Amino acid sequence: MQFSGVFTAIITPFKNGNIDEDAFRALIDWEIEEGVSGLVPCGTTGESATLSHDEHKRVIEICVDQVKGRVKVLAGSGSNNTIEAINLTRFAQEAGADGALLITPYYNKPTQEGLYHHYATVARAVDIPLVAYNVPGRTGCNMLPATIARLAHEFPNFVGVKEATGNMVQCSELIAACPEDFCVLSGDDFTAFPLWALGGCGVISVTSNIAPRAMSDLWKAFEQGDFQKARTLHHQLFPLHQAMFMVSNPIPVKTALALMGKVEEEMRLPLFPLSAADRAKLVSAMQDAGLLAR
C-alpha cells in the first residue's frame, strides 16, 4: 500500500501572526526522529481553513523541503470548490508531495454523484496519488462505501481514504468493497486500532503531534502481530486522545505543543485559547502520559 503507518496531521506553528518556519522545521525533524511514517501538512489540524493560498502553498513547500524524502508527505489540498482543489493539488504535485489529501466538499452538501464527479475530475487532472478525507462531523456530508469503491476501481491514482466517521459497520463495508491494495486510514485516533483490525492500513493522527513515538509503537506492535501490546498501548493512549478533543481540534494539541516548548501558543480566530479549567485538564492528562513533569 502506498500510505501505511502513522501519519501526523501536523500543526502549522504561528509567531506574531505569521508561519513560524523555524519551529515548523524543528517539529518536522522531531516527528521523523520519533518514528512516524509520514506527515500531513495543511489539514484541519494545520488550520488550513485560515491559511491564505500563498501560506497554504508555503507550508507544503517547507514540509517537503524539510522532510527530504525521509518519510512520505501527504499534502492537504482539498476544497469545496473543485477547480480550487485541482489547483492546490497540482501545486502539491509540483512541490514534490508523495500524495494529496482531499476533504469531501464542505458546506455544499453534494450528492453521492456529485462527490463521485468531484474526485473523478481531480483524478483526471493530476497524476499524484489521491486520498479522500471523509469526515461528516465537519463537512455535513458522508461519502458512502459504494462511491469510494467506484472511484477506487476506476482511477488508479485514487488510492485511499482517511475514514473519520467512527462507524465500524461502514468501515467494514468500505474495506470489503475496495481493491485489496486500497489504503483505508483511520481519521480518528480513538478508532485507529479497531479499524486496523478490520483491515485498515494506518492512521492520520492528531495525538502523534505530541506523542509520535507512542503512536508509532502502537502501529508497529499491531503490524508485527503483537495484538496484546497494541491493545495495551491503545488503552494507555486513550485518555490522551480524549484530551486532544476536549474542544475543537487543533486548540488542545497546539496548546500541548506550546506547553512542551515546541511552538508558540498561537492560533488564528475563530479558534480561541483554552479556558483555565480545560487547560488544567490538559496539563493533567499530559502529566499522566509522561509528557510534562508534575
Side-chain angles (χ1 to χ4, degrees):
M1 295 186 179
Q2 293 200 39
F3 303 105
S4 64
V6 174
F7 281 69
T8 299
I10 195 164
I11 68 149
T12 302
F14 296 126
K15 187 174 183 179
N16 300 322
N18 299 310
I19 296 166
D20 188 344
E21 183 170 330
D22 291 342
F24 191 38
R25 289 182 181 275
L27 189 59
I28 288 166
D29 284 343
W30 180 64
E31 290 284 329
I32 295 172
E33 289 162 7
E34 292 292 292
V36 301
S37 306
L39 297 169
V40 181
C42 296
T44 305
T45 313
E47 295 178 78
S48 58
T50 55
L51 296 175
S52 70
H53 282 186
D54 286 344
E55 288 175 325
H56 191 121
K57 292 175 179 178
R58 183 59 185 151
V59 168
I60 293 172
E61 284 179 334
I62 294 169
C63 190
V64 171
D65 178 67
Q66 192 66 23
V67 166
K68 294 181 172 61
R70 290 176 289 171
V71 296
K72 292 193 174 181
V73 176
L74 186 60
S77 64
S79 173
N80 65 340
N81 175 332
T82 305
I83 293 171
E84 185 175 277
I86 289 171
N87 290 337
L88 287 171
T89 305
R90 281 177 173 157
F91 179 84
Q93 180 172 332
E94 291 164 3
D98 299 285
L101 179 71
L102 290 91
I103 194 165
T104 55
Y106 39 88
Y107 188 76
N108 312 56
K109 299 184 76 171
T111 63
Q112 294 301 305
E113 196 67 16
L115 287 169
Y116 166 81
H117 283 285
H118 171 77
Y119 285 100
T121 301
V122 178
R124 292 188 188 102
V126 299
D127 297 322
I128 192 171
L130 305 178
V131 176
Y133 177 17
N134 189 34
V135 56
R138 280 191 179 265
T139 64
C141 72
N142 184 11
M143 192 172 178
L144 297 177
T147 305
I148 297 171
R150 181 182 174 191
L151 289 159
H153 285 288
E154 290 183 22
F155 295 96
N157 61 333
F158 188 83
V159 302
V161 62
K162 177 184 177 183
E163 173 52 52
T165 61
N167 184 335
M168 292 299 106
V169 174
Q170 181 166 320
C171 290
S172 296
E173 294 171 347
L174 170 65
I175 291 167
C178 289
E180 191 172 337
D181 62 348
F182 188 76
C183 309
V184 179
L185 295 153
S186 174
D188 192 339
D189 285 294
F190 297 99
T191 59
F193 179 56
L195 180 59
W196 301 344
L198 296 174
C201 66
V203 59
I204 296 178
S205 171
V206 173
T207 301
S208 63
N209 274 278
I210 59 171
R213 176 67 63 187
M215 286 299 298
S216 298
D217 286 347
L218 170 59
W219 169 251
K220 287 172 185 173
F222 179 86
E223 194 176 31
Q224 292 166 4
D226 190 345
F227 302 128
Q228 181 58 55
K229 181 179 180 181
R231 189 179 302 112
T232 298
L233 287 168
H234 165 78
H235 287 296
Q236 286 176 352
L237 283 161
F238 209 80
L240 204 55
H241 300 333
Q242 291 176 310
M244 292 301 94
F245 291 91
M246 63 171 63
V247 299
S248 298
N249 173 51
I251 298 170
V253 71
K254 210 165 196 186
T255 306
L257 282 166
L259 289 166
M260 295 167 71
K262 294 191 176 295
V263 301
E264 298 291 326
E265 191 172 333
E266 186 174 325
M267 56 204 77
R268 286 182 174 171
L269 288 169
L271 298 184
F272 195 75
L274 288 174
S275 67
D278 283 338
R279 187 182 181 89
K281 292 177 186 176
L282 175 62
V283 168
S284 178
M286 293 176 69
Q287 288 172 336
D288 290 345
L291 298 176
L292 287 179
R294 292 190 181 279

